[in-house]
Every structure is written in C-alpha cells, then in structure tokens.
Amino acid sequence: MVNKKKGILIVNLGSPQQLTVRSIRRFLRQFLSDSRVVNLPRSLWWFILNFLVLPFRPRKSLKAYAKVWTDRGSPLIYLTQDLTDRLARHYQPEPHVLVAMAMSYGKPSLTAQLRKLRKAKCEQITIVPLYPQYSSTTTASVFDAVTTELMQWRYIPELNFISDYHQHPLYISAITDSVQYAWAEQGQGELLVMSFHGLPDLLTKKGDPYYYQCLKTAELIADQLKLKEDKWRVVFQSRFGKAKWLQPYCIETLMALPEEGFKSIDIICPGFAIDCLETLEEINMANKDIFIKAGGEKYQYIPALNDSDANVKLMLDLIASRGS
C-alpha cells in the first residue's frame, strides 16, 4: 500500500525580517491591514494606519525589537523554525511526510509554503496554528489565508486544521511542568500570574471564545499545580488603542500587587507557544521594571514551551489526532 503524501504546516504570526524601521513598517502594514486583526471600518482604519500609526510606531517598535534581536534574528522566527526542525527530524524516516513552517505576516509566507506542498503533490495537509486558544484575530486569520489560497487550486487535498488546544492534557502538563521546574531551580513566588494577549472586549460579545478559553486554560493549570484561588491571577497584556480590552490589564495589576502584599511573583504566558517580542521584551523587561518600581522585589518570567521536548510531544499528538 502506497502512503499518502502528507504535508504539515506549522504557522505562527510573523515578525520583521530585519532590524530596520523600513522592515518593521512593512511588517506592521501587512499585519495591521488584516481586517481580522483590526475591526474598524476600512476607510477610517486606512486613515489611522497610514497617518497616525505607520509614521511613528515603527521607530518605537525598533527600540523594543533591538532588545531581543540576536545574531539569528527575530526570536519568534528562529524559535518557530527550531520547533519545526525538531518535528521534521521526527518524521525523517517517513519520506512521504513533509514538515514546513509559515508566517501569517512576513516570510516565509503561508501562501508560498502551501504552494511548496502542492508542488510536492501532498494529498493531505495538516495546518497547526501555534495559538493554544482560538481567536478570530489569529486562528481565523490563518484559516482565511489557507482557504483563499486553496480556492485557486484545481485539486484540493484533504485538509486538517487545528483550531485550538487550550485544554489538551499534554499542553496543560507541559506548562505546569515548566512552572514546577522553574520553582525547583529559582524558588516559588508568592503569586503565579498568567498573562494572555489582550483583545478588544467587543469581540467576546460578538462570539469570539478566546476569553473563555484563556480562563479555562488558567483554571486547568492552577488545578494541576494545586494552587489555591488567592495564589494565582489571570491578566491580559499588549493593549492597543483606546477601546476597552479584556481585563484585568497586566500593567495595572503589576502596579497594584506590591501594595496588596505580593512582593515576589512568577509570570507565565500560556497563550504564547513561542517566545517573542511580547514575552521577551514586554513581559520580561518592560513589565518587570513596572513591578519593581511599584515596590516588588522578585519577578520571574517562566519561558514559553518553544522547541522543548514537551512541546514537540504535544505537536506530534495534535498532528496524529488529525490523521497525519
């Protein structure tokens, strides 16, 4: 029996290709032009984006990216590539399985990678967006791009799409194991803060399940760690614009915690499968400074799963469950 030619596409959000204002502006233009990402009337947002955002934000973002950029480039890109490479090595004995990575914005583009799988004559494609919690701004955007490309194909392969894995047992265990390892190495803080990327509050009212999936993830982690209710908190970070976003806000919470008596905290970002600007600079640098200046004494960021054995095991299980 001849095995089907299978393609596995690991998808992340994306990042600027170079540490330059021009490259960052190009990335932000593509990212913020997605109607899934910004839910405003197109004509109004076009004016805001081109006259109020893009002329100024790239220079500010450049300073933030410079703090986390390495000789390998953007952490989000090379760490996603490391995870993809480990998965590819697992499937190496099976020549009928191809593993690739793609970015929703920037390179390697989702469209280009799908076309490579078509050229390889893949009869089955599994799409794995690296977003544990489903959101219309991230997961649905990947689905849009995939289906838009496939609409142009004469032959449509069998398609498997991982919409979320927010309560997958291996995901919860991987996060809790990373927390317990950090506690064993560095000691346990007085409070565990779980920070998820924020979204406009209006999206939840329109049916986006992201908020509730974040809460479920946090509850499962706290339960597996056997934490009492007063020993953990959920917050939302990276607020953009003046609209009401999911609360409580991360920065406001960190500023208030020392006055509440919490001088040492541990913080994790379970919504990020891969470390990136929002975890390495925003959470581990900028927000740490905010907590310390507010009177905090010890602040420990516990890294994302990245290309760890636990994350590889999780990805393999997700892929296997969809037939690849």
Side-chain angles (χ1 to χ4, degrees), residues 175 178 269 272-275 279 301-308:
I175 296 290
S178 71
C269 298
F272 294 87
I274 301 292
D275 274 316
T279 62
Y301 168 62
I302 299 171
L305 296 177
N306 297 319
D307 68 331
S308 63

Side-chain angles (χ1 to χ4, degrees), residues 32-36 38-47:
L32 295 176
S33 293
D34 189 337
S35 59
R36 288 283 195 181
V38 180
N39 297 267
L40 288 175
R42 290 295 89 189
S43 57
L44 172 62
W45 178 241
W46 183 90
F47 178 83

Side-chain angles (χ1 to χ4, degrees), residues 191 193 233 252-262 265 291:
L191 184 75
V193 178
R233 300 258 185 109
E252 282 80 350
T253 300
L254 293 178
M255 292 175 66
L257 285 178
E259 287 192 9
E260 294 179 32
F262 295 103
I265 66 170
F291 177 72

